[in-house]
């Protein structure tokens, strides 16, 4: 949603992450968006994780003028090998932001939240994308593994119930009005 793009730019500008990790790259639109804001800030790297980095997408991202700010990691986002590679790329960076936009099932997003949350620094954001799935009816014409009751919103609620280091940023939520990720912008507070 355009409002998500605007708010994401604000969040990056304010929190100034050294590293932004995104699970779910697809065609690379969002990793290039994040890289463009980091370019304006003059520093920072985007790590894009996808189970299937299609060759034509990799080639397009590699040829992009901001490719020097982007690292792609191919593999399931929660596999030990992927997490090891991501941690290696993060190194000792503390201002780390994470966006979860891969498989939107409850089980997978909760596993991602548990795996990636420890990387997020205090004051940084852990964005759970597509929490809107909880609010839209099942789309019979488009069978998906997720739907109401089993999606990023239910995973975020379960995660917040077990971890008090993060809170929904209600100021961000208030700015969004129309969003793919209502209550999905979690901020690390401790
Ligand atoms: C919604 S798309 C990502 C869109 C992208 N963030 C954007 O806004 O341009 C979801 C992506 O998640 C990837 N994906 C699905 N399951 C995954 C998993 N278990 N681990 C990593 N990536 C996964 C898919 O291959 C797909 O490219």
């Amino acid at each position: 949603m355009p409002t998500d793009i605007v708010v994401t730019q604000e969040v990056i500008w304010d929190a100034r992450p050294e590293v932004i990790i995104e699970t779910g790259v697809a065609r690379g639109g969002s990793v290039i968006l994040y890289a463009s804001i980091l370019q304006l800030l003059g520093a920072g790297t985007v790590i894009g994780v996808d189970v299937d980095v299609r060759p034509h997408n990799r080639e397009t991202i590699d040829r992009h003028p901001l490719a020097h700010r982007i690292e792609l990691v191919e593999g399931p986002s929660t596999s030990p090998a992927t997490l090891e590679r991501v941690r290696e790329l993060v190194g000792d960076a503390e201002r780390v932001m994470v966006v979860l936009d891969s498989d939107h099932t409850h089980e997978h997003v909760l596993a991602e939240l548990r795996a990636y949350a420890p990387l997020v620094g205090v004051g940084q954001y852990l964005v759970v994308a597509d929490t809107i799935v909880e609010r839209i009816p099942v789309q019979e014409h488009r069978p998906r593994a997720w739907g109401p009751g089993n999606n990023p919103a239910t995973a975020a609620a379960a995660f917040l119930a077990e971890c008090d280091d993060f809170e929904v940023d209600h100021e961000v939520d208030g700015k969004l009005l129309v969003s793919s990720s209502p209550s999905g912008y979690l901020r690390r507070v401790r």
Side-chain angles (χ1 to χ4, degrees), residues 171-187:
E171 194 182 325
V172 164
D173 235 21
K175 287 181 189 172
L176 282 166
L177 303 179
V178 179
S179 171
S180 297
S181 312
S183 303
Y185 293 73
L186 313 184
R187 191 162 167 271

Side-chain angles (χ1 to χ4, degrees), residues 22 24-26 29-30 50-51 54 75-77 101-103 108:
E22 179 164 70
V25 173
S30 48
D50 202 294
V51 70
R54 293 133 194 136
S77 57
D101 190 21
S102 68
D103 172 335
H108 184 74

